[in-house]
């Protein structure tokens, strides 16, 4: 069984994707199942930067919960630069709005 959203592969007895919480399907469309070519990959842009591991964890949990792909550039171990959260360019505006709302909720608390 396959998740049409995250493309996870599951045992036949599982009916709902535990991550996306949507029904699984028996097979993915062959066109959807092909890997993207290099030209299809969107450039990633930095949307968040912090040296605070708690803030980094909170931001990545928010993105993970919204099923937004992201990468972390972590230079914090070297003590030189803060960690950066990067997302595909097409998600940048939505992510910045999500992070702003989260910051407002924290300030209001």
């Amino acid at each position: 069984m396959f998740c049409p959203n995250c493309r996870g592969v599951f045992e036949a007895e599982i009916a709902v994707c535990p991550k996306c919480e949507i029904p699984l399907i028996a097979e993915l469309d062959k066109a959807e199942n092909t890997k993207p070519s290099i030209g299809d990959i969107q450039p990633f842009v930095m949307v968040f930067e912090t040296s605070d591991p708690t803030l980094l964890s909170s931001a990545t949990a928010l993105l993970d919960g919204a099923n937004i792909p992201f990468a972390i550039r972590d230079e914090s171990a070297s003590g030189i630069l803060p960690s950066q959260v990067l997302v595909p360019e097409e998600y940048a505006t939505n992510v910045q709005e999500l992070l702003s709302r989260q910051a407002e909720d924290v300030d209001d608390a």
Side-chain angles (χ1 to χ4, degrees):
M1 299 299 287
F2 301 92
C3 176
N5 185 47
C6 71
R7 304 211 179 302
V9 180
F10 300 93
E11 299 293 325
E13 57 273 359
I14 298 175
V16 175
C17 177
K19 179 179 178 183
C20 303
E21 299 179 353
I22 61 173
L24 300 177
I25 57 176
E27 62 182 63
L28 293 173
D29 180 29
K30 289 182 181 179
E32 292 179 13
N33 202 20
T34 59
K35 291 185 178 181
S37 68
I38 296 298
D40 294 338
I41 298 173
Q42 291 287 322
F44 275 57
V45 296
M46 196 264 299
V47 292
F48 185 69
E49 184 175 59
T50 185
S51 295
D52 183 337
T54 303
L55 289 176
L56 180 63
S57 177
S58 179
T60 57
L62 180 69
L63 297 177
D64 199 33
N67 292 322
I68 296 173
F70 64 91
I72 299 171
R73 182 180 298 147
D74 188 8
E75 300 292 337
S76 63
S78 65
I80 298 171
L81 299 170
S83 298
Q84 297 178 336
V85 177
L86 303 110
V87 298
E89 192 171 46
E90 66 189 78
Y91 292 94
T93 301
N94 292 341
V95 168
Q96 289 169 341
E97 290 172 8
L98 281 172
L99 293 172
S100 293
R101 277 186 270 163
Q102 182 183 36
E104 288 172 7
D105 290 345
V106 169
D107 289 341
D108 291 341

